Amino acid sequence: MDFVGLLTHYDVVGAFWVNIQLTLWSALFSTILGVILVLMRISPVGSLRGFATGFVRFFQNMPLTILMVFLLLGAFVQLRLQFSSDFTTNFYWLAITGLSLYTSTYVCESLRSGINTVPIGQAEAARSLGFGFFQSAFLIILPQALRGAIAPLGNTLIALMKNTTVAAAAAVASETSSLMNTMIEANADQILTIFLIFAIGWVILIIPVGLLTTYLSNHLAVRR
Amino acid sequence: MAETAAAQKNAQITRTAHSQGEEPASARPLVELDHVEKWYGELHVLRDINLKVSKGEVVVVLGPSGSGKSTMCRTINRLERIDSGVILIDGHPLPQEGRELTRLRQKVGMVFQSYNLFAHRTILDNVTLAPRKVLHRPKAEAEKEARELLSRVGVEAQAAKYPAQLSGGQQQRVAIARALAMHPDVLLFDEPTSALDPEMVGEVLNVMTDLAREGMTMICVTHEMGFARQVADRIVFMADGQILETGTPEQFFEHPQTDRAKDFLSKILNH
Ligand SMILES: Nc1ncnc2c1ncn2[C@@H]1O[C@H](COP(=O)(O)OP(=O)(O)OP(=O)(O)O)[C@@H](O)[C@H]1O
Ligand SMILES: [Mg+2]
């Protein structure tokens, strides 16, 4: 089978699309969770700060593969936690759960580094004008923190995209690294071509994200 | 630091206005600090602070560096906690947390040394944000008033710009307009001109002098002796976390009672 044959016989584009979908869902959930975590970390309530710190330490220091295997074997097989009776759908959402838990800690830490770029006077001015905690956070602090956190958030997104291939461990069979394995098994003589197809595909997918991040962090920077 | 001729002149007008003005309407002090104590760890930064400020009064707080002036100012809108004593705003004790605190804070405006304008928002947004989000005033109404306030402090032409595009003096005047937009009962100023280039000090002092003349209650920490002398109704002198003297500018500048005050004045006035 030649290059064109490989591309027509296997749904390479479809596999990439699965990774993109995993990325988008996980990005959405990890952003929400990451914002909640960072709000807890800057909150005046000690127990919330403690919980968020513990959560971040735990999930950030656990290898993603271990987390995925736990979700698959522990949460699903042992604890019977499931999203759907359909196996494929279930594994798909378990993968998103693992990716979101793991990535949210990096979103939280990126935002926190962004918050550190916001002078304390901004929060004091907000408080002195009568803004409450959430108003200060969402109107004043986070919008500025976000602009200061674009570079680490961009890196987090890139890491998330690559990490979706680890979702193979949670058995999302249709994604790229699984498809690559399948293709190599059937076409062992074409291993280099197959590798290049996926390598180049990933590079094409990720380079624009990096460029966009650089562009945004230069253009949205808060002037002081 | 030198003051502009305009500020001097304004200050004189103010003085006349004050001497002709009537007594404060209410006998109840607008701001009252009662036996306030605060520690930073081992450091006893506020010692038995007692201070009453009436409506319309302009109090200037003087004192050497590290004497606790900023800390006292910041306790009045609870940017800093106190360890004992009470702070009353219009007769209501300042609560520790929560909605009630937020509500009382709106009555106490604050102008900072470093302006602290919201860097990601335009000048107009800086002034309208709190009235819209905290007082829930309609956008058009808030913007109309914001433009009036901005023109009152002389920066209406900058409304669409971002803080970083303005000079320090302009930013500080915007900060004053932003505080005024909440219709505070009292304005706190913590060294509002200390970060400014000398040529911009006068424009900010002019705005403050105008406010004083219009009857705004003000507590100002400043090193501007001309302003203190001419605009203050009362000088509060602090050293080592204590209020050592309080009196009219004339009493304080001409007849300081304590050695600390004499020493402070000789350093300030002879440099
Ligand atoms: N957050 C803090 N933690 C510990 N000590 C502090 C803190 N803030 C201020 N201090 C100390 O408290 C004392 C009073 O500080 P404060 O800023 O109120 O003085 P100040 O009179 O405003 O001085 P300056 O004229 O230099 O502004 C100083 O000794 C200062 O070092
Ligand atoms: Mg100070």
Side-chain angles (χ1 to χ4, degrees):
Chain A
M1 216 182 278
D2 64 354
F3 179 75
V4 178
L6 282 170
L7 281 182
T8 43
H9 195 261
Y10 295 96
D11 188 8
V12 176
V13 175
F16 273 102
W17 178 232
V18 172
N19 288 89
I20 292 172
Q21 283 176 308
L22 287 169
T23 302
L24 292 177
W25 282 116
S26 308
L28 175 71
F29 293 127
S30 57
T31 303
I32 295 170
L33 193 54
V35 169
I36 293 172
L37 285 170
V38 84
L39 287 177
M40 288 166 89
R41 291 200 78 162
I42 62 170
S43 86
V45 185
S47 55
L48 291 182
R49 284 200 304 271
F51 173 83
T53 309
F55 185 97
V56 169
R57 293 263 158 76
F58 185 76
F59 284 106
Q60 197 164 41
N61 292 309
M62 191 185 326
L64 182 57
T65 0
I66 306 285
L67 178 61
M68 286 297 188
V69 170
F70 168 77
L71 283 173
L72 192 66
L73 300 178
F76 173 60
V77 179
Q78 282 270 307
L79 303 173
R80 302 256 164 251
L81 293 174
Q82 55 183 44
F83 290 96
S84 159
S85 50
D86 174 43
F87 244 61
T88 319
T89 318
N90 193 39
F91 285 166
Y92 182 78
W93 288 104
L94 276 176
I96 290 170
T97 305
L99 286 165
S100 301
L101 287 172
Y102 181 79
T103 310
S104 70
T105 64
Y106 289 90
V107 172
C108 171
E109 292 305 274
S110 303
L111 287 175
R112 215 157 66 93
S113 74
I115 287 174
N116 290 337
T117 69
V118 182
I120 185 77
Q122 296 284 308
E124 291 184 346
R127 280 198 282 160
S128 78
L129 287 166
F131 289 117
F133 175 77
F134 288 103
Q135 285 182 319
S136 298
F138 285 104
L139 290 170
I140 309 299
I141 308 301
L142 286 178
Q144 295 185 55
L146 195 63
R147 289 161 163 85
I150 287 172
L153 284 174
N155 290 338
T156 303
L157 178 61
I158 290 172
L160 168 63
M161 294 174 82
K162 297 188 206 168
N163 283 339
T164 57
T165 60
V166 177
V172 177
S174 51
E175 63 85 46
T176 47
S177 66
S178 315
L179 181 66
M180 186 168 126
N181 282 339
T182 316
M183 286 165 72
I184 290 172
E185 271 163 36
N187 309 276
D189 53 333
Q190 293 290 327
I191 189 160
L192 187 65
T193 316
I194 294 169
F195 168 73
L196 283 176
I197 288 175
F198 286 97
I200 291 168
W202 272 107
V203 168
I204 289 173
L205 204 56
I206 282 174
I207 280 179
V209 178
L211 292 176
L212 186 69
T213 326
T214 315
Y215 175 84
L216 287 179
S217 61
N218 289 338
H219 285 255
L220 291 181
V222 182
R223 285 184 59 200
R224 299 201 187 277
Chain B
M1 205 177 276
E3 226 175 276
T4 66
Q8 301 268 5
K9 191 161 152 252
N10 267 337
Q12 268 148 23
I13 297 167
T14 309
R15 206 157 183 205
T16 332
H18 271 300
S19 56
Q20 286 167 353
E22 67 277 308
E23 286 295 305
S26 157
R28 183 168 74 184
L30 196 51
V31 178
E32 180 173 0
L33 285 81
D34 191 25
H35 297 295
V36 169
E37 307 268 353
K38 178 171 177 68
W39 279 265
Y40 280 125
E42 295 288 288
L43 181 69
H44 199 170
V45 61
L46 295 180
R47 300 165 188 252
D48 194 29
I49 298 286
N50 294 285
L51 180 69
K52 289 183 179 146
V53 181
S54 322
K55 191 162 168 28
E57 203 181 5
V58 177
V59 171
V60 165
V61 183
L62 300 177
S65 182
S67 55
K69 308 180 298 293
S70 298
T71 309
M72 183 180 79
C73 221
R74 292 161 57 84
T75 59
I76 298 175
N77 65 356
R78 254 252 24 205
L79 285 178
E80 302 286 350
R81 286 164 188 279
I82 56 174
D83 294 302
S84 74
V86 226
I87 297 177
L88 302 155
I89 307 294
D90 204 12
H92 301 282
L94 205 56
Q96 287 294 301
E97 296 290 341
R99 267 181 218 291
E100 188 59 15
L101 172 65
T102 312
R103 206 182 58 74
L104 271 180
R105 256 189 193 143
Q106 296 160 27
K107 299 180 160 211
V108 185
M110 180 138 186
V111 176
F112 301 86
Q113 181 176 343
S114 48
Y115 338 126
N116 296 346
L117 293 182
F118 302 134
H120 64 307
R121 292 292 194 136
T122 63
I123 297 307
L124 189 65
D125 283 350
N126 263 273
V127 183
T128 57
L129 207 55
R132 283 171 52 206
K133 304 294 177 180
V134 178
L135 303 177
H136 305 291
R137 305 216 7 228
K139 190 173 178 199
E141 192 186 306
E143 289 191 349
K144 184 167 172 287
E145 193 188 347
R147 288 187 193 280
E148 285 164 14
L149 286 167
L150 287 174
S151 80
R152 191 165 144 195
V153 300
V155 286
E156 68 277 21
Q158 321 294 331
K161 293 189 182 166
Y162 285 86
Q165 296 171 285
L166 270 60
S167 74
Q170 290 173 324
Q171 289 193 54
Q172 194 60 298
R173 286 182 281 150
V174 173
I176 295 173
R178 177 176 71 175
L180 288 175
M182 293 299 283
H183 300 280
D185 291 339
V186 51
L187 269 186
L188 309 171
F189 293 84
D190 188 4
E191 302 201 23
T193 58
S194 299
L196 296 176
D197 292 337
E199 72 270 21
M200 292 169 187
V201 170
E203 66 195 42
V204 172
L205 290 179
N206 281 346
V207 169
M208 291 169 64
T209 307
D210 287 346
L211 281 175
R213 183 168 48 190
E214 286 155 22
M216 174 57 77
T217 312
M218 296 166 45
I219 300 174
C220 315
V221 177
T222 182
H223 292 298
E224 295 297 329
M225 292 303 143
F227 178 83
R229 230 180 232 280
Q230 285 147 358
V231 183
D233 294 309
R234 190 149 52 107
I235 304 286
V236 166
F237 176 74
M238 289 183 75
D240 300 329
Q242 277 176 303
I243 294 182
L244 290 189
E245 291 193 30
T246 158
T248 64
E250 173 143 335
Q251 282 167 350
F252 179 73
F253 285 106
E254 309 308 331
H255 310 288
Q257 302 296 306
T258 57
D259 289 343
R260 293 299 301 267
K262 286 174 193 162
D263 182 51
F264 173 78
L265 283 172
S266 70
K267 280 183 188 140
I268 289 277
L269 301 174
N270 300 336
H271 74 252

